[in-house]
């Protein structure tokens, strides 16, 4: 996978190129000093204004939220070693194929985004992929990317190479472990009396008592109980005490994060039981991380990309350990956003909560439903193939250009404001960052290019009409995210990504693993915790975590 590389920002002006308002706030524009008492109040960008409202406790929408870089430690922003985003394709490819950043294009993309999230258009059958992998994808995203500063309403193109990635681009579970018990001690429970001093476990939370819920295991509905400790830990203000607040934005991903905490703790317990004499925390974190990487590479990615794309990436992608890397926005802003189309409108959550709407999945992770109500504990037997039967198994929706109507109103306001339409927000982000078209990206990466007939195959007339506006602009220069979704449906019947989407995703993950000197691709490792020797899946993970019953 070829990338354009660029050194970190050399000056504050360069680092904040994507945030003109912040340059003004910090006095970096060469403006005169204000006299005492003189006010200056630069207007916040629309993304940040919307984000600050959306992250209020009643909504808690940290996903996609934008903040001032001034909120972060300066060394993480200004350092030449700070992680940045970048591009997979060459500048000439992008220049020749990107859409013009103007009001007409924004309006056209808004029309397309509105149609993608239009109620009643979800007509395709469910996929064969269990719904748990929708939220594995979200959890993994929060482990490797965090863009808090690119602006939807920027008046001109924004260079991704000046945008900080506030997550390490490695599958290192920093969203779980933070900076470890030596620094982020608030994430951890101290060893019990008589245990080795290094036996740090992840802190767990309590439940609001509301009756039985969660998994019944082999006993089914007769096995559910009123849980007391099946939530992430929380402050007295009920804020989640976790490494990434986005993992508390909906009930399912929050319960998955809770499962990851329990997975670490189970490994700690196993090491103590085995009489391990070394540093238990170091060993447990290492083992949990390697098993997680294995499950991502050998369980999650084949379901999303197809095994052939993974095999091709493993055979052909080269990257030296600790080599320079910029997270490509063709991945983070386009191809990896396939998961938005896999979200269901309703989920079977447990034997007491059948066919609950997505709006409840969002609402029941916020006050007055916190800590997580005991009857809302998720039964992951309905999300992963664990071997325990449930009346309704949640299969993910197919990957296509139709989003669940529940996503139309992300902030619960009932409006169609810019920050409330996920599809429109995705399309506008790609526009401002100057992403190349889907056609140009496919050609640049040696992947077959979809024809106009393929792009429009099976689409409703109103959507085709939008694509045909402005002399067919969106058919000639199809937004990369939309192209990847259409390609998945046209070439793979929506069961997994098509050739272009799969290549971008698989190559990016293999690159991240190869440049991590401690990853499963650079050390001798074979999983030992799975039900099958030498294999490990996310179904194994939730089983070991003890969240699926017995």
């Amino acid at each position: 996978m070829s990338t354009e590389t660029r050194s970190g920002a050399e000056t504050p002006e360069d680092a904040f190129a994507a945030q003109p308002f912040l340059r003004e706030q910090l006095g970096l524009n060469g403006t005169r000093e204000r006299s005492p008492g003189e006010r200056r109040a630069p207007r916040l960008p629309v993304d940040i204004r919307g984000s600050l409202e959306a992250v209020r406790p009643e909504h808690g929408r940290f996903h996609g939220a934008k903040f001032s870089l001034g909120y972060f430690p300066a060394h993480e922003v200004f350092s030449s070693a700070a992680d940045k985003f970048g591009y997979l394709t060459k500048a000439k490819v992008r220049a020749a194929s990107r859409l013009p950043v103007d009001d007409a294009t924004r309006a056209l993309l808004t029309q397309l985004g509105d149609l993608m999230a239009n109620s009643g258009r979800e007509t395709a059958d469910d996929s064969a992929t269990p719904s748990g992998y929708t939220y594995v994808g979200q959890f993994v995203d929060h482990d490797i990317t965090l863009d808090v500063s690119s602006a939807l309403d920027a008046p001109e193109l924004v260079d991704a190479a000046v945008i900080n990635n506030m997550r390490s681009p490695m599958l290192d579970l920093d969203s779980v472990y933070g900076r470890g018990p030596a620094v982020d001690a608030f994430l951890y429970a101290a060893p019990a009396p008589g245990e080795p001093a290094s036996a740090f476990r992840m802190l767990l939370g309590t439940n609001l008592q509301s009756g039985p819920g969660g998994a019944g295991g082999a006993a089914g509905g007769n096995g559910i109980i009123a849980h007391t400790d099946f939530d992430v830990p929380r402050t007295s203000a009920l804020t989640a005490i976790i490494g990434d607040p986005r993992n508390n934005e909906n009930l399912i991903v929050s319960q998955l994060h809770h499962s990851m905490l329990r997975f670490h703790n189970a490994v700690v317990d196993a090491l103590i039981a085995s009489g391990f004499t070394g540093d238990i925390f170091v060993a447990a974190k290492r083992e949990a991380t390697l098993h997680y990487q294995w499950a991502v590479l050998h369980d999650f990615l084949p379901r999303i990309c197809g095994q052939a794309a993974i095999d091709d990436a493993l055979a052909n992608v080269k990257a030296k350990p600790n080599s320079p890397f910029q997270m490509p926005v063709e991945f983070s802003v386009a191809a990896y956003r396939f998961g938005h189309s896999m979200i269901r409108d309703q989920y079977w959550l447990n034997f007491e909560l059948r066919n609950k709407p997505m709006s409840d999945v969002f609402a029941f992770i916020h006050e007055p439903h916190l800590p997580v109500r005991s009857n809302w504990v998720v039964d992951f037997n309905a999300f992963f193939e664990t071997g325990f039967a449930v009346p309704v198994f949640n299969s993910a929706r197919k990957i296509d250009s139709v989003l669940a109507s529940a996503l139309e109103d992300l902030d619960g306001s009932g409006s169609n404001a810019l920050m409330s339409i996920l599809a429109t927000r995705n399309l506008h982000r790609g526009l401002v960052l100057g992403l190349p078209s889907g056609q140009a990206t496919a050609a640049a990466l040696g992947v077959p290019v979809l024809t106009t007939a393929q792009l429009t195959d099976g689409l409703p007339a109103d959507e085709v009409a939008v694509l045909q506006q402005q002399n067919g602009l969106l058919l000639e220069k199809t937004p990369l995210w939309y192209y990847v979704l259409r390609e998945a449906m046209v070439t793979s019947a929506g069961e997994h990504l098509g050739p272009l989407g799969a290549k971008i995703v698989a190559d990016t993950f293999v690159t991240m693993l190869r440049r991590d000197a401690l990853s499963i691709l650079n050390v001798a490792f074979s999983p030992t915790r799975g039900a099958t020797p030498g294999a490990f899946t996310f179904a194994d993970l939730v089983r070991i975590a003890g969240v699926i019953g017995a």
Side-chain angles (χ1 to χ4, degrees), residues 50 53-54 58-59 61 359 362 406-421:
E53 291 299 321
E58 60 268 29
H59 301 307
R61 302 287 190 266
S359 57
F362 278 106
L407 295 175
E408 188 171 354
D409 181 25
L410 281 181
D411 64 5
S413 67
S415 73
N416 289 340
L418 180 63
M419 290 297 290
S420 299
I421 304 294

Side-chain angles (χ1 to χ4, degrees), residues 54-275:
V55 300
R56 291 179 185 272
E58 60 268 29
H59 301 307
R61 302 287 190 266
F62 282 87
H63 184 83
K66 301 298 170 184
F67 296 94
S68 164
L69 286 173
Y71 284 28
F72 296 87
H75 73 274
E76 294 185 10
V77 175
F78 291 113
S79 169
S80 61
D83 286 316
K84 295 287 197 296
F85 287 90
Y87 295 96
L88 174 63
T89 50
K90 295 184 181 300
K92 63 180 182 181
V93 173
R94 301 195 303 275
S97 67
R98 63 192 175 212
L99 292 167
V101 181
D102 56 30
D103 291 343
T105 304
R106 291 181 192 273
L108 193 58
L109 293 178
T110 298
Q111 290 184 60
L112 181 59
D114 287 346
L115 289 174
M116 292 176 70
N118 217 8
S119 300
R121 296 183 65 235
E122 306 92 328
T123 58
D125 295 333
D126 290 338
S127 73
T129 301
S131 270
Y133 293 93
T134 305
Y135 297 93
V136 166
Q138 186 178 25
F139 179 91
V140 172
D141 175 50
H142 299 169
D143 190 30
I144 59 176
T145 69
L146 176 56
D147 166 16
V148 299
S149 61
S150 64
L152 283 176
D153 61 339
E156 56 189 20
L157 287 174
V158 173
D159 182 4
V162 303
I163 298 173
N164 289 71
N165 180 8
M166 305 308 293
R167 275 275 169 237
S168 64
M170 303 168 69
L171 295 170
D172 58 3
L173 288 177
D174 62 341
S175 61
V176 171
Y177 292 110
R179 291 171 292 177
V183 177
D184 291 344
F186 50 84
L187 296 174
Y188 295 89
E195 289 185 336
S198 61
F200 289 99
R201 293 178 179 84
M202 307 307 300
L203 195 64
L204 301 177
T206 59
N207 293 104
L208 182 64
Q209 284 304 302
S210 302
N222 294 325
I224 61 175
I225 63 173
H227 289 284
T228 59
D229 60 351
F230 267 60
D231 190 13
V232 300
R234 299 182 183 278
T235 67
S236 59
L238 303 178
T239 302
I241 308 174
I242 55 179
D244 192 310
R246 294 173 295 173
N247 284 349
N248 192 55
E249 71 172 7
N250 68 65
L251 180 69
I252 301 171
V253 76
S254 183
Q255 289 276 283
L256 182 60
H257 189 103
H258 162 260
S259 300
M260 296 297 299
L261 303 179
R262 284 185 171 270
F263 177 58
H264 168 86
N265 293 352
V267 178
V268 169
D269 292 342
L271 288 170
I272 293 175
S274 72

Side-chain angles (χ1 to χ4, degrees), residues 442-457:
L445 298 184
V447 173
V449 179
L450 294 181
T451 65
T452 298
Q454 287 176 306
L455 273 171
T456 57
D457 182 39

Side-chain angles (χ1 to χ4, degrees), residues 236-360:
S236 59
L238 303 178
T239 302
I241 308 174
I242 55 179
D244 192 310
R246 294 173 295 173
N247 284 349
N248 192 55
E249 71 172 7
N250 68 65
L251 180 69
I252 301 171
V253 76
S254 183
Q255 289 276 283
L256 182 60
H257 189 103
H258 162 260
S259 300
M260 296 297 299
L261 303 179
R262 284 185 171 270
F263 177 58
H264 168 86
N265 293 352
V267 178
V268 169
D269 292 342
L271 288 170
I272 293 175
S274 72
F276 182 75
T277 59
D279 190 306
I280 289 178
F281 175 74
V282 170
K285 178 187 176 185
R286 180 83 177 123
E287 185 173 336
T289 302
L290 289 170
H291 277 82
Y292 161 69
Q293 291 178 353
W294 185 280
V296 169
L297 182 62
H298 296 289
D299 182 26
F300 169 65
L301 287 176
R303 295 175 187 269
I304 298 305
C305 300
Q307 188 61 53
I310 307 304
D311 293 341
D312 181 76
L314 289 170
N316 296 300
V317 171
K318 311 298 179 186
K320 293 181 179 180
N322 304 313
S323 56
F325 178 73
Q326 291 179 317
M327 181 64 73
V329 286
E330 291 91 342
F331 167 85
S332 63
V333 177
Y336 198 67
R337 299 200 176 201
F338 64 84
H340 294 158
S341 73
M342 299 173 69
I343 296 172
R344 300 175 58 86
D345 274 315
Q346 293 184 329
Y347 287 95
W348 191 96
L349 293 174
N350 61 44
F351 283 90
E352 291 295 311
L353 302 172
R354 302 165 184 259
N355 300 323
K356 302 303 291 184
M358 192 65 191
S359 57
D360 280 357

